[in-house]
């Protein structure tokens, strides 16, 4: 009897854990537009029975870009740019209503700018639904069939529901991104102002004293005058470097703290690789202390390095959350997975050992929709 009770409790804990994981994934989708779009492309296939699911946001210059796909054969539709009013998705976005065609390449309803990539994937019947939020088209979600077919009311309702949730996710992700950027900018300005007021003032005072010494020095003391002139030159170089540093602080990523460090690493990763990367915080993150922060940041950097070397990913998301009396970081990519040596390489083994010294853990798990996630956890003291 006791054994059965323990088994039931274990099953209940398992269900609760899976529920929390699902909720966590939903929150991530609300904060990360790449994850939201990837989920839309997958779910539109599952819920409409389509062969292909596509999803893309409206980006700069009102251009729709197909950023995520599921079920494609070819690559012509990958990252395809669609102008407003062009093709099926451009028409749906321009008219802000669902549009579908039974035979894409033969339809007189749409323009045929994209017949070549459409034909390469064998697409016949296609549905496009705009993601509209707050009076603005956020993007478009597509369902496509490789046969002449028909989208019934149930399928259309499912696609419209997905488009509604996708519009909310893109709007929320955009707002979260603006908030992070504003917070980071405020922190950079604060640090720059403090440096300007303290170090800058000290450099100015030293320079003034050197000039005064040189002015009142004995003109016969050539050696002293030469040394003073040399010090002035060195001080001018130091002041120039200091001004450059303050300028960089006021116009680039912040320094200090776990969130700032992870954001800076994501920005550097994106500049270096061209792969989309961002860091998000889920809820309030407690202060880890300087040493634990260094270990966590080093672990996240090692995970990013493996993504860069082995994953072939299109996007990376680093999320941080307070969990089980500690701080957890997940580094999730949508790539092809790592090879066995990469997942068990010396870098990750060394990182796991450093985490273990503080009671922490590191694990690598496969994502259901492709790619891998490195899970990092460290307890708070």
């Amino acid at each position: 009897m006791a054994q059965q009770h323990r088994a039931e409790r274990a099953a209940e804990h398992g269900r609760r854990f899976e529920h929390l994981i699902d909720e966590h994934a939903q929150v991530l989708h609300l904060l990360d537009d790449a994850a939201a779009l990837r989920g839309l492309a997958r779910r539109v296939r599952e819920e409409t029975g389509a062969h292909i699911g596509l999803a893309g946001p409206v980006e700069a210059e009102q251009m729709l870009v197909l950023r995520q796909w599921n079920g494609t054969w070819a690559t012509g539709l990958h990252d395809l740019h669609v102008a407003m009013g062009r093709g099926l998705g451009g028409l749906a976005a321009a008219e802000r209503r669902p549009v579908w065609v039974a035979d894409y390449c033969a339809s007189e309803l749409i323009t045929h700018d994209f017949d070549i990539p459409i034909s390469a994937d064998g697409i016949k019947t296609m549905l496009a639904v705009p993601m509209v939020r707050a009076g603005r088209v956020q993007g478009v979600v597509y369902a496509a069939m490789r046969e002449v077919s028909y989208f019934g009311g149930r399928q259309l309702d499912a696609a419209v529901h997905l488009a509604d949730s996708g519009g909310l996710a893109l709007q929320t992700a955009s707002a979260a991104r603006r908030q992070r950027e504003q917070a980071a900018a405020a922190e950079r300005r604060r640090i720059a102002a403090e440096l300007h007021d303290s170090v800058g003032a000290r450099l100015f005072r030293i320079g003034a004293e050197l000039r005064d010494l040189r002015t009142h020095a004995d003109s016969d003391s050539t050696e002293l005058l030469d040394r003073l002139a040399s010090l002035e030159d060195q001080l001018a170089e130091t002041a120039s470097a200091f001004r450059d540093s303050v300028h960089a602080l006021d116009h680039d990523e912040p320094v200090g703290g776990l969130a700032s460090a992870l954001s800076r690493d994501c920005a550097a990763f994106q500049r270096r690789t061209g792969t989309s990367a961002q860091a998000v915080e889920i809820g309030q993150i407690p202060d880890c202390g300087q040493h634990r922060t260094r270990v966590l940041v080093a672990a996240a950097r090692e995970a990013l390095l493996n993504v860069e070397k082995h994953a072939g990913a299109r996007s990376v998301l680093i999320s941080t959350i307070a969990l089980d009396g500690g701080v957890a970081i997940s580094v999730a990519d949508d790539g092809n997975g790592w090879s066995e040596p990469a997942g068990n390489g010396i870098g990750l083994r060394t990182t796991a050992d450093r985490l273990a010294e503080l009671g922490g853990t590191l694990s690598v798990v496969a994502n259901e929709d492709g790619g891998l996630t490195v899970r990092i956890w460290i307890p708070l003291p």
Side-chain angles (χ1 to χ4, degrees):
M1 194 69 180
Q3 186 176 359
Q4 181 182 357
H5 182 63
R6 285 195 297 271
E8 290 174 350
R9 285 183 60 190
E12 175 62 22
H13 289 164
R15 286 191 294 270
R16 289 180 62 188
F17 179 75
E18 291 298 327
H19 179 68
L20 288 173
I21 291 295
D22 184 59
E23 285 191 344
H24 181 221
Q26 292 179 34
V27 171
L28 290 182
H29 282 191
L30 286 174
L31 294 174
D32 175 31
D33 48 8
L37 292 168
R38 187 164 58 248
L40 283 173
R42 173 179 53 82
R43 290 179 61 197
V44 74
R45 288 188 66 196
E46 295 173 351
E47 299 187 23
T48 68
H51 297 133
I52 299 171
L54 301 163
V58 173
E59 298 184 357
E61 300 179 356
Q62 290 298 292
M63 185 71 70
L64 172 67
V65 186
L66 305 188
R67 291 300 188 193
Q68 298 294 334
W69 45 88
N70 193 286
T72 54
W73 288 343
T75 60
L77 296 173
H78 298 183
D79 295 315
L80 183 69
H81 286 59
V82 180
M84 288 294 164
R86 313 305 294 177
L88 187 71
L91 179 63
E95 298 191 356
R96 301 191 178 196
R97 65 178 180 87
V99 181
W100 76 279
V101 292
D103 190 341
Y104 188 102
C105 292
S107 175
E108 297 180 357
L109 180 66
I110 59 174
T111 67
H112 290 277
D113 307 60
F114 314 111
D115 282 5
I116 292 176
I118 288 289
S119 298
D121 244 302
I123 293 173
K124 295 293 186 179
T125 301
M126 196 172 196
L127 166 69
V129 184
M131 295 181 273
V132 183
R133 198 75 186 178
R136 179 178 178 273
V137 178
Q138 305 284 341
V140 175
V141 61
Y142 298 76
M145 302 291 292
R146 292 192 174 96
E147 59 191 28
V148 175
S149 185
Y150 175 80
F151 284 107
R154 183 193 64 80
Q155 294 165 308
L156 180 60
D157 288 345
V160 169
H161 175 72
L162 286 172
D164 287 342
S165 65
L168 173 61
L170 290 178
Q171 182 189 37
T172 305
S174 177
R177 185 163 52 249
R178 286 195 302 271
Q179 290 175 355
R180 291 195 301 272
E181 290 170 353
Q182 290 168 1
E187 178 67 6
R188 293 197 300 272
R189 287 193 296 269
R190 183 190 66 79
I191 295 172
E194 287 185 0
L195 286 173
H196 180 271
D197 293 343
S198 58
V199 180
R202 183 174 297 180
L203 286 173
F204 179 82
R205 179 179 57 79
I206 294 171
E209 290 185 7
L210 278 173
R211 286 189 295 272
D212 184 65
L213 279 173
R214 188 157 59 87
T215 301
H216 294 91
D218 188 340
S219 59
D220 294 331
S221 181
T222 306
E223 183 180 354
L224 176 60
L225 288 172
D226 289 343
R227 290 183 61 189
L228 288 172
S230 176
L231 282 172
E232 278 192 88
D233 291 340
Q234 293 177 44
L235 183 67
E237 293 177 3
T238 303
S240 177
F242 171 75
R243 285 192 298 271
D244 289 344
S245 298
V246 170
H247 178 80
L249 275 173
D250 207 19
H251 293 84
D252 207 348
E253 294 80 25
V255 293
L258 180 60
S260 296
L262 294 177
S263 295
R264 184 170 64 252
D265 288 342
C266 281
F269 176 88
Q270 186 164 316
R271 286 195 303 272
R272 186 171 66 250
T273 65
T275 300
S276 171
Q278 58 180 307
V280 298
E281 285 189 346
I282 311 299
Q284 186 69 32
I285 307 301
D287 182 16
C288 306
Q290 191 173 20
H291 180 56
R292 280 174 166 77
T293 296
R294 280 199 301 267
V295 173
L296 285 170
V297 170
R301 286 174 179 168
E302 181 61 29
L304 279 175
L305 181 61
N306 277 280
V307 173
E308 181 178 351
K309 286 182 175 179
H310 308 289
R314 298 189 304 273
S315 66
V316 182
L317 175 68
I318 299 182
S319 58
T320 308
I321 188 171
L323 183 70
D324 295 337
V327 172
I329 295 176
S330 68
V331 182
D333 70 78
D334 61 353
N336 304 316
W338 307 344
S339 63
E340 188 69 14
N344 296 285
I346 188 170
L348 282 180
R349 290 203 307 271
T350 302
T351 300
D353 290 341
R354 289 172 181 164
L355 288 164
E357 289 174 0
L358 296 172
T361 59
L362 182 146
S363 61
V364 181
V365 297
N367 303 326
E368 289 185 358
D369 53 353
L372 294 176
T373 296
V374 177
R375 294 176 178 170
I376 303 157
W377 177 84
I378 199 169
L380 292 173

